[in-house]
Amino acid sequence: LLTPEGEELARKIGRSLDKRLGFCGSSSVNRCIQTARFIVDGMKEELKADAYKANGTRTDCAGTHADCAGTHGDMAGPNKIEIVPTIATFKGINLAIANQGAGWFKYFHCLQEGLVDETAGITLEQEAAPYLDSMFTSGGKPDTIDLYASHDCNVVILASALFGLKT
């Protein structure tokens, strides 16, 4: 779970945003849900208006919701965060660890270099596709910012796939 310092850093990110929140999604892991919640908490109220009705219910609801504690709510409270299961899948890394004994850093390196013998046959494109599909399925409203709270490994995978990042 987030430390008080992590909570404040997330709020600081929220305070720095200058666009309306269009979509707020998270992995189902509690620290990701907390991160998203504290970012939203830090945002100016007028920037939250498009994402939440006055009673806190999402206006563009399409899936499961959770509150800041990670328990499934009834969508009656403020700042509901949509759980996006595909941004918390670790199919490739789990297969690589099980089959080849690869660790995170080796797995990322092998993905980036296209060494499918070391990644249980998973390519960088296959690993990145569920995250990208999720991002292009949700949100995307004009003049808004979409928030996805996920895991650092997903950031590495996306940066590698989109920008050719090498670790």
Side-chain angles (χ1 to χ4, degrees):
L1 297 179
L2 293 182
T3 64
E5 179 185 18
E7 293 172 6
E8 184 50 37
L9 286 171
R11 283 189 194 100
K12 185 176 182 180
I13 290 169
R15 287 191 296 272
S16 73
L17 299 176
D18 61 356
K19 288 196 179 265
R20 290 172 297 151
L21 182 62
F23 176 81
C24 183
S26 174
S27 158
S28 60
V29 174
N30 282 344
R31 68 181 177 275
C32 295
I33 294 168
Q34 284 184 311
T35 299
R37 190 193 110 213
F38 286 114
I39 290 172
V40 172
D41 285 351
M43 294 178 72
K44 295 174 186 152
E45 286 302 315
E46 64 269 18
L47 298 179
K48 298 179 200 179
D50 278 3
Y52 303 98
K53 291 181 183 175
N55 68 1
T57 303
R58 287 291 310 268
T59 60
D60 57 352
C61 162
T64 307
H65 291 75
D67 63 22
C68 64
T71 58
H72 295 282
D74 61 2
M75 296 173 47
N79 300 337
K80 293 298 179 184
I81 298 163
E82 187 165 334
I83 301 302
V84 183
T86 53
I87 63 173
T89 57
F90 302 108
K91 177 181 171 187
I93 184 64
N94 291 336
L95 284 172
I97 289 171
N99 296 340
Q100 281 90 10
W104 289 100
F105 295 113
K106 181 178 179 183
Y107 181 71
F108 293 141
H109 172 76
C110 293
L111 268 182
Q112 293 159 354
E113 297 297 329
L115 305 173
V116 293
D117 291 342
E118 299 291 327
T119 62
I122 304 291
T123 65
L124 179 59
E125 291 77 18
Q126 290 170 317
E127 193 71 88
Y131 311 124
L132 292 170
D133 289 345
S134 291
M135 288 185 205
F136 287 106
T137 302
S138 305
K141 294 178 185 174
D143 299 318
T144 64
I145 189 166
D146 297 327
L147 170 63
Y148 292 85
S150 189
H151 308 270
D152 52 358
C153 61
N154 295 347
V155 175
V156 172
I157 289 167
L158 287 173
S160 298
L162 297 172
F163 308 114
L165 172 78
K166 301 282 183 166
T167 54

